[in-house]
Every structure is written in structure tokens, then in C-alpha cells.
Amino acid sequence: MTGIEVIFFLIELAGTAAFAISGAVMAIQRELDLFGVLFLGAVTAIGGGVIRDLLLGQTPPQVFVNYIYLAVAVVTALTVFLWSAYHQRQEYRKRRYADTLLNFFDAAGLGIFSVIGVQNTVNAGFGDNAFFCVFLGMTTGVGGGMLRDMMSRET
């Protein structure tokens, strides 16, 4: 791995963690159990990349080849669940703080994964098709959040 590949890999892991936090916070707001928090955290974290890889014709999607993404998502969601359970007594402050966390990590994941989506599209040989690059960047950025919102009936 070259230096730039390592940087992109670490940024991708940061985006995975950011979206896992976003999904876990949403699941906690919906009062889901541990499995629901882990599942919604993982779907939010890896969903956009899976959609992108399928549209690029890369099967199986990268997340099913390299399990580090799923591991980061699950460990991050578990950490959020445990943190929330520990701080459950402060209900009002927790809800306000959860909304702030959700917005912050949603924005961070969106930015990171949009760039990663464009980069993966270019690396797949579609760099001359600007519309496709932007479309898959957007899909990577919002795909997991859209799946999260549909599964939790949020608009």
C-alpha cells in the first residue's frame, strides 16, 4: 500500500465509524435493543458503499471481502450503545446531546464517503464520466443514511 492509499483507507475507516455512530444514535433514539443498535449502525456505515460497489459491478462488494469495515462499524455501534446505557439517567441532556451527535457524525460521514465514492469510481476506470463519478459519490455518501432512515421510519 502506498502512502496515499493508507491515508484514504484511514479516512474511509473514520467515515465508517462516523456513520456507525449516526446509525447507533438513531437506533437508541428509537429505543431499539442491542441487536437493533448494532444492525442499524452497521447498515448506516456500510450501506452506501455496498450500493456503490454493486452499481460499479464489483461483486461481492468490498465490505464482504475485507471485514475490517464491518468490524469497525459493529465495535463503534457497541461503544455508543454501552455509553448510552451508562448515561441513561440524564434523559433530557442525553436526547439533546444525541441530536447534536447525530447531525455532526452524519455530516462527517457524508463528506468523507462522498469523496471516497468519487475516488472509487475514478479508480474503477470511469474517471472520464463526470456525471457517473458525482452520482456514485453522492450515492456512497447518502446511501447508508437513506437505508437507516427507511429502516427507522424517519423522514
PDB file of all heavy atoms in Angstrom, residues 64-99:
ATOM      1  N   PHE A  64     -17.752  -7.129   1.949  1.00  0.00           N
ATOM      2  CA  PHE A  64     -17.865  -8.569   2.148  1.00  0.00           C
ATOM      3  C   PHE A  64     -16.568  -9.301   1.826  1.00  0.00           C
ATOM      4  O   PHE A  64     -16.485 -10.520   1.997  1.00  0.00           O
ATOM      5  CB  PHE A  64     -19.018  -9.136   1.328  1.00  0.00           C
ATOM      6  CG  PHE A  64     -20.342  -8.534   1.705  1.00  0.00           C
ATOM      7  CD1 PHE A  64     -21.056  -7.787   0.797  1.00  0.00           C
ATOM      8  CD2 PHE A  64     -20.851  -8.697   2.988  1.00  0.00           C
ATOM      9  CE1 PHE A  64     -22.266  -7.213   1.138  1.00  0.00           C
ATOM     10  CE2 PHE A  64     -22.065  -8.129   3.346  1.00  0.00           C
ATOM     11  CZ  PHE A  64     -22.772  -7.380   2.417  1.00  0.00           C
ATOM     12  N   VAL A  65     -15.571  -8.567   1.368  1.00  0.00           N
ATOM     13  CA  VAL A  65     -14.252  -9.137   1.095  1.00  0.00           C
ATOM     14  C   VAL A  65     -13.295  -8.787   2.229  1.00  0.00           C
ATOM     15  O   VAL A  65     -12.505  -9.616   2.672  1.00  0.00           O
ATOM     16  CB  VAL A  65     -13.706  -8.607  -0.256  1.00  0.00           C
ATOM     17  CG1 VAL A  65     -12.287  -9.078  -0.495  1.00  0.00           C
ATOM     18  CG2 VAL A  65     -14.616  -9.026  -1.400  1.00  0.00           C
ATOM     19  N   ASN A  66     -13.361  -7.546   2.700  1.00  0.00           N
ATOM     20  CA  ASN A  66     -12.497  -7.056   3.772  1.00  0.00           C
ATOM     21  C   ASN A  66     -13.389  -6.713   4.957  1.00  0.00           C
ATOM     22  O   ASN A  66     -14.059  -5.691   4.954  1.00  0.00           O
ATOM     23  CB  ASN A  66     -11.719  -5.829   3.300  1.00  0.00           C
ATOM     24  CG  ASN A  66     -10.691  -5.377   4.296  1.00  0.00           C
ATOM     25  OD1 ASN A  66     -10.637  -5.869   5.415  1.00  0.00           O
ATOM     26  ND2 ASN A  66      -9.875  -4.417   3.893  1.00  0.00           N
ATOM     27  N   TYR A  67     -13.382  -7.556   5.967  1.00  0.00           N
ATOM     28  CA  TYR A  67     -14.304  -7.420   7.092  1.00  0.00           C
ATOM     29  C   TYR A  67     -13.947  -6.304   8.069  1.00  0.00           C
ATOM     30  O   TYR A  67     -14.663  -6.095   9.042  1.00  0.00           O
ATOM     31  CB  TYR A  67     -14.420  -8.750   7.839  1.00  0.00           C
ATOM     32  CG  TYR A  67     -15.064  -9.828   7.015  1.00  0.00           C
ATOM     33  CD1 TYR A  67     -14.332 -10.901   6.531  1.00  0.00           C
ATOM     34  CD2 TYR A  67     -16.415  -9.750   6.701  1.00  0.00           C
ATOM     35  CE1 TYR A  67     -14.928 -11.888   5.773  1.00  0.00           C
ATOM     36  CE2 TYR A  67     -17.025 -10.736   5.936  1.00  0.00           C
ATOM     37  CZ  TYR A  67     -16.274 -11.799   5.479  1.00  0.00           C
ATOM     38  OH  TYR A  67     -16.872 -12.766   4.718  1.00  0.00           O
ATOM     39  N   ILE A  68     -12.868  -5.578   7.825  1.00  0.00           N
ATOM     40  CA  ILE A  68     -12.474  -4.506   8.735  1.00  0.00           C
ATOM     41  C   ILE A  68     -13.556  -3.437   8.828  1.00  0.00           C
ATOM     42  O   ILE A  68     -13.790  -2.868   9.891  1.00  0.00           O
ATOM     43  CB  ILE A  68     -11.106  -3.892   8.333  1.00  0.00           C
ATOM     44  CG1 ILE A  68     -10.620  -2.892   9.393  1.00  0.00           C
ATOM     45  CG2 ILE A  68     -11.188  -3.186   6.999  1.00  0.00           C
ATOM     46  CD1 ILE A  68     -10.136  -3.522  10.657  1.00  0.00           C
ATOM     47  N   TYR A  69     -14.256  -3.175   7.715  1.00  0.00           N
ATOM     48  CA  TYR A  69     -15.298  -2.144   7.715  1.00  0.00           C
ATOM     49  C   TYR A  69     -16.461  -2.550   8.630  1.00  0.00           C
ATOM     50  O   TYR A  69     -16.943  -1.751   9.429  1.00  0.00           O
ATOM     51  CB  TYR A  69     -15.816  -1.878   6.301  1.00  0.00           C
ATOM     52  CG  TYR A  69     -14.715  -1.483   5.356  1.00  0.00           C
ATOM     53  CD1 TYR A  69     -14.212  -2.377   4.416  1.00  0.00           C
ATOM     54  CD2 TYR A  69     -14.163  -0.208   5.400  1.00  0.00           C
ATOM     55  CE1 TYR A  69     -13.197  -2.025   3.560  1.00  0.00           C
ATOM     56  CE2 TYR A  69     -13.142   0.162   4.546  1.00  0.00           C
ATOM     57  CZ  TYR A  69     -12.659  -0.756   3.623  1.00  0.00           C
ATOM     58  OH  TYR A  69     -11.645  -0.393   2.784  1.00  0.00           O
ATOM     59  N   LEU A  70     -16.895  -3.789   8.513  1.00  0.00           N
ATOM     60  CA  LEU A  70     -17.973  -4.282   9.359  1.00  0.00           C
ATOM     61  C   LEU A  70     -17.540  -4.325  10.819  1.00  0.00           C
ATOM     62  O   LEU A  70     -18.308  -3.953  11.716  1.00  0.00           O
ATOM     63  CB  LEU A  70     -18.435  -5.666   8.897  1.00  0.00           C
ATOM     64  CG  LEU A  70     -19.590  -6.279   9.675  1.00  0.00           C
ATOM     65  CD1 LEU A  70     -20.830  -5.392   9.593  1.00  0.00           C
ATOM     66  CD2 LEU A  70     -19.894  -7.668   9.154  1.00  0.00           C
ATOM     67  N   ALA A  71     -16.295  -4.736  11.064  1.00  0.00           N
ATOM     68  CA  ALA A  71     -15.789  -4.794  12.442  1.00  0.00           C
ATOM     69  C   ALA A  71     -15.753  -3.401  13.070  1.00  0.00           C
ATOM     70  O   ALA A  71     -16.178  -3.219  14.221  1.00  0.00           O
ATOM     71  CB  ALA A  71     -14.395  -5.425  12.463  1.00  0.00           C
ATOM     72  N   VAL A  72     -15.279  -2.413  12.322  1.00  0.00           N
ATOM     73  CA  VAL A  72     -15.241  -1.039  12.838  1.00  0.00           C
ATOM     74  C   VAL A  72     -16.655  -0.547  13.118  1.00  0.00           C
ATOM     75  O   VAL A  72     -16.918   0.077  14.154  1.00  0.00           O
ATOM     76  CB  VAL A  72     -14.505  -0.100  11.846  1.00  0.00           C
ATOM     77  CG1 VAL A  72     -14.739   1.363  12.180  1.00  0.00           C
ATOM     78  CG2 VAL A  72     -13.024  -0.413  11.838  1.00  0.00           C
ATOM     79  N   ALA A  73     -17.588  -0.844  12.215  1.00  0.00           N
ATOM     80  CA  ALA A  73     -18.970  -0.401  12.394  1.00  0.00           C
ATOM     81  C   ALA A  73     -19.595  -1.036  13.640  1.00  0.00           C
ATOM     82  O   ALA A  73     -20.235  -0.343  14.437  1.00  0.00           O
ATOM     83  CB  ALA A  73     -19.800  -0.734  11.151  1.00  0.00           C
ATOM     84  N   VAL A  74     -19.417  -2.324  13.819  1.00  0.00           N
ATOM     85  CA  VAL A  74     -20.031  -3.024  14.950  1.00  0.00           C
ATOM     86  C   VAL A  74     -19.400  -2.587  16.277  1.00  0.00           C
ATOM     87  O   VAL A  74     -20.111  -2.323  17.251  1.00  0.00           O
ATOM     88  CB  VAL A  74     -19.942  -4.557  14.760  1.00  0.00           C
ATOM     89  CG1 VAL A  74     -20.316  -5.306  16.029  1.00  0.00           C
ATOM     90  CG2 VAL A  74     -20.839  -4.984  13.601  1.00  0.00           C
ATOM     91  N   VAL A  75     -18.081  -2.486  16.316  1.00  0.00           N
ATOM     92  CA  VAL A  75     -17.414  -2.062  17.557  1.00  0.00           C
ATOM     93  C   VAL A  75     -17.808  -0.628  17.911  1.00  0.00           C
ATOM     94  O   VAL A  75     -18.064  -0.313  19.080  1.00  0.00           O
ATOM     95  CB  VAL A  75     -15.875  -2.207  17.431  1.00  0.00           C
ATOM     96  CG1 VAL A  75     -15.145  -1.503  18.562  1.00  0.00           C
ATOM     97  CG2 VAL A  75     -15.499  -3.684  17.394  1.00  0.00           C
ATOM     98  N   THR A  76     -17.905   0.236  16.916  1.00  0.00           N
ATOM     99  CA  THR A  76     -18.308   1.617  17.162  1.00  0.00           C
ATOM    100  C   THR A  76     -19.746   1.684  17.668  1.00  0.00           C
ATOM    101  O   THR A  76     -20.036   2.392  18.643  1.00  0.00           O
ATOM    102  CB  THR A  76     -18.160   2.460  15.879  1.00  0.00           C
ATOM    103  OG1 THR A  76     -16.796   2.388  15.430  1.00  0.00           O
ATOM    104  CG2 THR A  76     -18.528   3.906  16.126  1.00  0.00           C
ATOM    105  N   ALA A  77     -20.657   0.961  17.023  1.00  0.00           N
ATOM    106  CA  ALA A  77     -22.057   0.956  17.459  1.00  0.00           C
ATOM    107  C   ALA A  77     -22.180   0.375  18.867  1.00  0.00           C
ATOM    108  O   ALA A  77     -22.965   0.880  19.687  1.00  0.00           O
ATOM    109  CB  ALA A  77     -22.916   0.172  16.470  1.00  0.00           C
ATOM    110  N   LEU A  78     -21.411  -0.664  19.174  1.00  0.00           N
ATOM    111  CA  LEU A  78     -21.429  -1.252  20.512  1.00  0.00           C
ATOM    112  C   LEU A  78     -20.945  -0.240  21.553  1.00  0.00           C
ATOM    113  O   LEU A  78     -21.524  -0.116  22.634  1.00  0.00           O
ATOM    114  CB  LEU A  78     -20.567  -2.511  20.556  1.00  0.00           C
ATOM    115  CG  LEU A  78     -20.463  -3.210  21.919  1.00  0.00           C
ATOM    116  CD1 LEU A  78     -21.838  -3.675  22.395  1.00  0.00           C
ATOM    117  CD2 LEU A  78     -19.490  -4.375  21.831  1.00  0.00           C
ATOM    118  N   THR A  79     -19.916   0.505  21.215  1.00  0.00           N
ATOM    119  CA  THR A  79     -19.403   1.534  22.119  1.00  0.00           C
ATOM    120  C   THR A  79     -20.461   2.598  22.392  1.00  0.00           C
ATOM    121  O   THR A  79     -20.654   3.025  23.533  1.00  0.00           O
ATOM    122  CB  THR A  79     -18.132   2.176  21.529  1.00  0.00           C
ATOM    123  OG1 THR A  79     -17.155   1.148  21.300  1.00  0.00           O
ATOM    124  CG2 THR A  79     -17.554   3.228  22.455  1.00  0.00           C
ATOM    125  N   VAL A  80     -21.170   3.025  21.349  1.00  0.00           N
ATOM    126  CA  VAL A  80     -22.243   4.010  21.516  1.00  0.00           C
ATOM    127  C   VAL A  80     -23.352   3.439  22.396  1.00  0.00           C
ATOM    128  O   VAL A  80     -23.873   4.130  23.279  1.00  0.00           O
ATOM    129  CB  VAL A  80     -22.796   4.462  20.143  1.00  0.00           C
ATOM    130  CG1 VAL A  80     -24.047   5.303  20.309  1.00  0.00           C
ATOM    131  CG2 VAL A  80     -21.737   5.231  19.371  1.00  0.00           C
ATOM    132  N   PHE A  81     -23.705   2.183  22.178  1.00  0.00           N
ATOM    133  CA  PHE A  81     -24.745   1.538  22.983  1.00  0.00           C
ATOM    134  C   PHE A  81     -24.339   1.504  24.456  1.00  0.00           C
ATOM    135  O   PHE A  81     -25.133   1.850  25.343  1.00  0.00           O
ATOM    136  CB  PHE A  81     -25.014   0.118  22.477  1.00  0.00           C
ATOM    137  CG  PHE A  81     -26.052  -0.621  23.272  1.00  0.00           C
ATOM    138  CD1 PHE A  81     -27.395  -0.424  23.023  1.00  0.00           C
ATOM    139  CD2 PHE A  81     -25.680  -1.503  24.277  1.00  0.00           C
ATOM    140  CE1 PHE A  81     -28.372  -1.097  23.756  1.00  0.00           C
ATOM    141  CE2 PHE A  81     -26.633  -2.179  25.012  1.00  0.00           C
ATOM    142  CZ  PHE A  81     -27.986  -1.973  24.754  1.00  0.00           C
ATOM    143  N   LEU A  82     -23.117   1.084  24.732  1.00  0.00           N
ATOM    144  CA  LEU A  82     -22.650   0.994  26.119  1.00  0.00           C
ATOM    145  C   LEU A  82     -22.556   2.382  26.756  1.00  0.00           C
ATOM    146  O   LEU A  82     -22.928   2.565  27.919  1.00  0.00           O
ATOM    147  CB  LEU A  82     -21.295   0.278  26.177  1.00  0.00           C
ATOM    148  CG  LEU A  82     -21.316  -1.195  25.768  1.00  0.00           C
ATOM    149  CD1 LEU A  82     -19.902  -1.763  25.722  1.00  0.00           C
ATOM    150  CD2 LEU A  82     -22.203  -2.000  26.714  1.00  0.00           C
ATOM    151  N   TRP A  83     -22.088   3.343  26.002  1.00  0.00           N
ATOM    152  CA  TRP A  83     -22.007   4.720  26.504  1.00  0.00           C
ATOM    153  C   TRP A  83     -23.398   5.241  26.838  1.00  0.00           C
ATOM    154  O   TRP A  83     -23.603   5.864  27.875  1.00  0.00           O
ATOM    155  CB  TRP A  83     -21.327   5.612  25.464  1.00  0.00           C
ATOM    156  CG  TRP A  83     -21.212   7.035  25.898  1.00  0.00           C
ATOM    157  CD1 TRP A  83     -20.216   7.589  26.642  1.00  0.00           C
ATOM    158  CD2 TRP A  83     -22.143   8.083  25.628  1.00  0.00           C
ATOM    159  NE1 TRP A  83     -20.478   8.916  26.846  1.00  0.00           N
ATOM    160  CE2 TRP A  83     -21.654   9.250  26.240  1.00  0.00           C
ATOM    161  CE3 TRP A  83     -23.343   8.147  24.937  1.00  0.00           C
ATOM    162  CZ2 TRP A  83     -22.318  10.455  26.171  1.00  0.00           C
ATOM    163  CZ3 TRP A  83     -24.009   9.358  24.874  1.00  0.00           C
ATOM    164  CH2 TRP A  83     -23.500  10.487  25.486  1.00  0.00           C
ATOM    165  N   SER A  84     -24.344   4.974  25.983  1.00  0.00           N
ATOM    166  CA  SER A  84     -25.715   5.427  26.199  1.00  0.00           C
ATOM    167  C   SER A  84     -26.332   4.755  27.421  1.00  0.00           C
ATOM    168  O   SER A  84     -27.027   5.403  28.212  1.00  0.00           O
ATOM    169  CB  SER A  84     -26.569   5.142  24.970  1.00  0.00           C
ATOM    170  OG  SER A  84     -27.904   5.474  25.214  1.00  0.00           O
ATOM    171  N   ALA A  85     -26.110   3.468  27.580  1.00  0.00           N
ATOM    172  CA  ALA A  85     -26.646   2.743  28.730  1.00  0.00           C
ATOM    173  C   ALA A  85     -26.061   3.289  30.032  1.00  0.00           C
ATOM    174  O   ALA A  85     -26.758   3.413  31.038  1.00  0.00           O
ATOM    175  CB  ALA A  85     -26.355   1.255  28.607  1.00  0.00           C
ATOM    176  N   TYR A  86     -24.801   3.652  30.007  1.00  0.00           N
ATOM    177  CA  TYR A  86     -24.134   4.197  31.188  1.00  0.00           C
ATOM    178  C   TYR A  86     -24.710   5.565  31.561  1.00  0.00           C
ATOM    179  O   TYR A  86     -24.868   5.892  32.722  1.00  0.00           O
ATOM    180  CB  TYR A  86     -22.632   4.294  30.913  1.00  0.00           C
ATOM    181  CG  TYR A  86     -21.846   4.855  32.067  1.00  0.00           C
ATOM    182  CD1 TYR A  86     -21.603   4.081  33.206  1.00  0.00           C
ATOM    183  CD2 TYR A  86     -21.345   6.146  32.027  1.00  0.00           C
ATOM    184  CE1 TYR A  86     -20.886   4.591  34.264  1.00  0.00           C
ATOM    185  CE2 TYR A  86     -20.626   6.665  33.082  1.00  0.00           C
ATOM    186  CZ  TYR A  86     -20.399   5.887  34.202  1.00  0.00           C
ATOM    187  OH  TYR A  86     -19.692   6.390  35.248  1.00  0.00           O
ATOM    188  N   HIS A  87     -25.046   6.351  30.571  1.00  0.00           N
ATOM    189  CA  HIS A  87     -25.528   7.716  30.794  1.00  0.00           C
ATOM    190  C   HIS A  87     -27.053   7.835  30.696  1.00  0.00           C
ATOM    191  O   HIS A  87     -27.563   8.935  30.519  1.00  0.00           O
ATOM    192  CB  HIS A  87     -24.887   8.667  29.789  1.00  0.00           C
ATOM    193  CG  HIS A  87     -23.423   8.842  30.006  1.00  0.00           C
ATOM    194  ND1 HIS A  87     -22.920   9.552  31.068  1.00  0.00           N
ATOM    195  CD2 HIS A  87     -22.356   8.375  29.318  1.00  0.00           C
ATOM    196  CE1 HIS A  87     -21.597   9.519  31.017  1.00  0.00           C
ATOM    197  NE2 HIS A  87     -21.230   8.815  29.972  1.00  0.00           N
ATOM    198  N   GLN A  88     -27.766   6.773  30.822  1.00  0.00           N
ATOM    199  CA  GLN A  88     -29.205   6.760  30.598  1.00  0.00           C
ATOM    200  C   GLN A  88     -29.983   7.616  31.594  1.00  0.00           C
ATOM    201  O   GLN A  88     -31.064   8.103  31.289  1.00  0.00           O
ATOM    202  CB  GLN A  88     -29.722   5.334  30.637  1.00  0.00           C
ATOM    203  CG  GLN A  88     -31.126   5.185  30.147  1.00  0.00           C
ATOM    204  CD  GLN A  88     -31.481   3.724  29.974  1.00  0.00           C
ATOM    205  OE1 GLN A  88     -30.788   2.848  30.466  1.00  0.00           O
ATOM    206  NE2 GLN A  88     -32.556   3.468  29.284  1.00  0.00           N
ATOM    207  N   ARG A  89     -29.462   7.880  32.748  1.00  0.00           N
ATOM    208  CA  ARG A  89     -30.194   8.623  33.769  1.00  0.00           C
ATOM    209  C   ARG A  89     -30.440  10.079  33.402  1.00  0.00           C
ATOM    210  O   ARG A  89     -31.385  10.690  33.861  1.00  0.00           O
ATOM    211  CB  ARG A  89     -29.448   8.550  35.093  1.00  0.00           C
ATOM    212  CG  ARG A  89     -29.510   7.165  35.704  1.00  0.00           C
ATOM    213  CD  ARG A  89     -28.618   7.129  36.872  1.00  0.00           C
ATOM    214  NE  ARG A  89     -27.254   7.252  36.360  1.00  0.00           N
ATOM    215  CZ  ARG A  89     -26.189   6.811  36.967  1.00  0.00           C
ATOM    216  NH1 ARG A  89     -26.298   6.271  38.139  1.00  0.00           N
ATOM    217  NH2 ARG A  89     -24.994   6.916  36.451  1.00  0.00           N
ATOM    218  N   GLN A  90     -29.618  10.657  32.594  1.00  0.00           N
ATOM    219  CA  GLN A  90     -29.741  12.073  32.254  1.00  0.00           C
ATOM    220  C   GLN A  90     -30.533  12.212  30.954  1.00  0.00           C
ATOM    221  O   GLN A  90     -29.998  12.606  29.928  1.00  0.00           O
ATOM    222  CB  GLN A  90     -28.361  12.697  32.128  1.00  0.00           C
ATOM    223  CG  GLN A  90     -27.531  12.535  33.376  1.00  0.00           C
ATOM    224  CD  GLN A  90     -26.071  12.830  33.116  1.00  0.00           C
ATOM    225  OE1 GLN A  90     -25.647  12.911  31.983  1.00  0.00           O
ATOM    226  NE2 GLN A  90     -25.307  12.984  34.175  1.00  0.00           N
ATOM    227  N   GLU A  91     -31.825  11.937  31.007  1.00  0.00           N
ATOM    228  CA  GLU A  91     -32.659  11.789  29.807  1.00  0.00           C
ATOM    229  C   GLU A  91     -32.682  13.024  28.919  1.00  0.00           C
ATOM    230  O   GLU A  91     -32.431  12.958  27.724  1.00  0.00           O
ATOM    231  CB  GLU A  91     -34.083  11.408  30.207  1.00  0.00           C
ATOM    232  CG  GLU A  91     -34.967  11.039  29.049  1.00  0.00           C
ATOM    233  CD  GLU A  91     -34.456   9.842  28.283  1.00  0.00           C
ATOM    234  OE1 GLU A  91     -33.910   8.910  28.891  1.00  0.00           O
ATOM    235  OE2 GLU A  91     -34.586   9.824  27.057  1.00  0.00           O
ATOM    236  N   TYR A  92     -33.000  14.181  29.454  1.00  0.00           N
ATOM    237  CA  TYR A  92     -33.123  15.381  28.622  1.00  0.00           C
ATOM    238  C   TYR A  92     -31.788  15.744  27.982  1.00  0.00           C
ATOM    239  O   TYR A  92     -31.711  15.984  26.784  1.00  0.00           O
ATOM    240  CB  TYR A  92     -33.641  16.564  29.447  1.00  0.00           C
ATOM    241  CG  TYR A  92     -33.626  17.849  28.668  1.00  0.00           C
ATOM    242  CD1 TYR A  92     -34.573  18.093  27.673  1.00  0.00           C
ATOM    243  CD2 TYR A  92     -32.651  18.819  28.898  1.00  0.00           C
ATOM    244  CE1 TYR A  92     -34.549  19.260  26.931  1.00  0.00           C
ATOM    245  CE2 TYR A  92     -32.626  19.988  28.170  1.00  0.00           C
ATOM    246  CZ  TYR A  92     -33.579  20.214  27.197  1.00  0.00           C
ATOM    247  OH  TYR A  92     -33.548  21.356  26.472  1.00  0.00           O
ATOM    248  N   ARG A  93     -30.754  15.782  28.787  1.00  0.00           N
ATOM    249  CA  ARG A  93     -29.429  16.124  28.255  1.00  0.00           C
ATOM    250  C   ARG A  93     -28.979  15.095  27.233  1.00  0.00           C
ATOM    251  O   ARG A  93     -28.361  15.429  26.234  1.00  0.00           O
ATOM    252  CB  ARG A  93     -28.417  16.218  29.390  1.00  0.00           C
ATOM    253  CG  ARG A  93     -28.591  17.487  30.203  1.00  0.00           C
ATOM    254  CD  ARG A  93     -27.603  17.601  31.328  1.00  0.00           C
ATOM    255  NE  ARG A  93     -26.257  17.376  30.845  1.00  0.00           N
ATOM    256  CZ  ARG A  93     -25.232  17.130  31.656  1.00  0.00           C
ATOM    257  NH1 ARG A  93     -25.406  17.065  32.943  1.00  0.00           N
ATOM    258  NH2 ARG A  93     -24.028  16.933  31.162  1.00  0.00           N
ATOM    259  N   LYS A  94     -29.318  13.836  27.486  1.00  0.00           N
ATOM    260  CA  LYS A  94     -28.930  12.772  26.554  1.00  0.00           C
ATOM    261  C   LYS A  94     -29.596  12.968  25.196  1.00  0.00           C
ATOM    262  O   LYS A  94     -28.956  12.854  24.154  1.00  0.00           O
ATOM    263  CB  LYS A  94     -29.306  11.409  27.131  1.00  0.00           C
ATOM    264  CG  LYS A  94     -28.871  10.250  26.252  1.00  0.00           C
ATOM    265  CD  LYS A  94     -29.282   8.942  26.855  1.00  0.00           C
ATOM    266  CE  LYS A  94     -30.646   8.601  26.351  1.00  0.00           C
ATOM    267  NZ  LYS A  94     -31.086   7.252  26.632  1.00  0.00           N
ATOM    268  N   ARG A  95     -30.890  13.290  25.187  1.00  0.00           N
ATOM    269  CA  ARG A  95     -31.610  13.458  23.921  1.00  0.00           C
ATOM    270  C   ARG A  95     -31.052  14.643  23.135  1.00  0.00           C
ATOM    271  O   ARG A  95     -30.862  14.574  21.937  1.00  0.00           O
ATOM    272  CB  ARG A  95     -33.103  13.628  24.167  1.00  0.00           C
ATOM    273  CG  ARG A  95     -33.906  13.592  22.888  1.00  0.00           C
ATOM    274  CD  ARG A  95     -35.371  13.340  23.112  1.00  0.00           C
ATOM    275  NE  ARG A  95     -35.692  12.139  23.857  1.00  0.00           N
ATOM    276  CZ  ARG A  95     -35.722  10.919  23.336  1.00  0.00           C
ATOM    277  NH1 ARG A  95     -35.432  10.724  22.083  1.00  0.00           N
ATOM    278  NH2 ARG A  95     -36.038   9.878  24.073  1.00  0.00           N
ATOM    279  N   ARG A  96     -30.793  15.737  23.827  1.00  0.00           N
ATOM    280  CA  ARG A  96     -30.230  16.924  23.164  1.00  0.00           C
ATOM    281  C   ARG A  96     -28.831  16.625  22.618  1.00  0.00           C
ATOM    282  O   ARG A  96     -28.484  16.991  21.509  1.00  0.00           O
ATOM    283  CB  ARG A  96     -30.187  18.068  24.170  1.00  0.00           C
ATOM    284  CG  ARG A  96     -30.125  19.385  23.527  1.00  0.00           C
ATOM    285  CD  ARG A  96     -30.448  20.471  24.538  1.00  0.00           C
ATOM    286  NE  ARG A  96     -29.769  21.657  24.082  1.00  0.00           N
ATOM    287  CZ  ARG A  96     -29.120  22.486  24.840  1.00  0.00           C
ATOM    288  NH1 ARG A  96     -29.072  22.298  26.126  1.00  0.00           N
ATOM    289  NH2 ARG A  96     -28.516  23.516  24.325  1.00  0.00           N
ATOM    290  N   TYR A  97     -28.036  15.942  23.422  1.00  0.00           N
ATOM    291  CA  TYR A  97     -26.686  15.567  23.020  1.00  0.00           C
ATOM    292  C   TYR A  97     -26.728  14.576  21.861  1.00  0.00           C
ATOM    293  O   TYR A  97     -25.928  14.656  20.931  1.00  0.00           O
ATOM    294  CB  TYR A  97     -25.950  14.965  24.227  1.00  0.00           C
ATOM    295  CG  TYR A  97     -24.492  14.703  23.994  1.00  0.00           C
ATOM    296  CD1 TYR A  97     -23.603  15.744  23.785  1.00  0.00           C
ATOM    297  CD2 TYR A  97     -23.998  13.400  23.995  1.00  0.00           C
ATOM    298  CE1 TYR A  97     -22.262  15.505  23.578  1.00  0.00           C
ATOM    299  CE2 TYR A  97     -22.658  13.152  23.804  1.00  0.00           C
ATOM    300  CZ  TYR A  97     -21.792  14.207  23.591  1.00  0.00           C
ATOM    301  OH  TYR A  97     -20.465  13.963  23.386  1.00  0.00           O
ATOM    302  N   ALA A  98     -27.689  13.656  21.886  1.00  0.00           N
ATOM    303  CA  ALA A  98     -27.816  12.672  20.813  1.00  0.00           C
ATOM    304  C   ALA A  98     -28.150  13.351  19.492  1.00  0.00           C
ATOM    305  O   ALA A  98     -27.617  12.970  18.442  1.00  0.00           O
ATOM    306  CB  ALA A  98     -28.878  11.639  21.163  1.00  0.00           C
ATOM    307  N   ASP A  99     -29.020  14.356  19.513  1.00  0.00           N
ATOM    308  CA  ASP A  99     -29.343  15.090  18.285  1.00  0.00           C
ATOM    309  C   ASP A  99     -28.108  15.778  17.717  1.00  0.00           C
ATOM    310  O   ASP A  99     -27.870  15.760  16.510  1.00  0.00           O
ATOM    311  CB  ASP A  99     -30.441  16.132  18.545  1.00  0.00           C
ATOM    312  CG  ASP A  99     -31.801  15.496  18.756  1.00  0.00           C
ATOM    313  OD1 ASP A  99     -31.985  14.325  18.360  1.00  0.00           O
ATOM    314  OD2 ASP A  99     -32.673  16.186  19.324  1.00  0.00           O
TER     315      ASP A  99
END
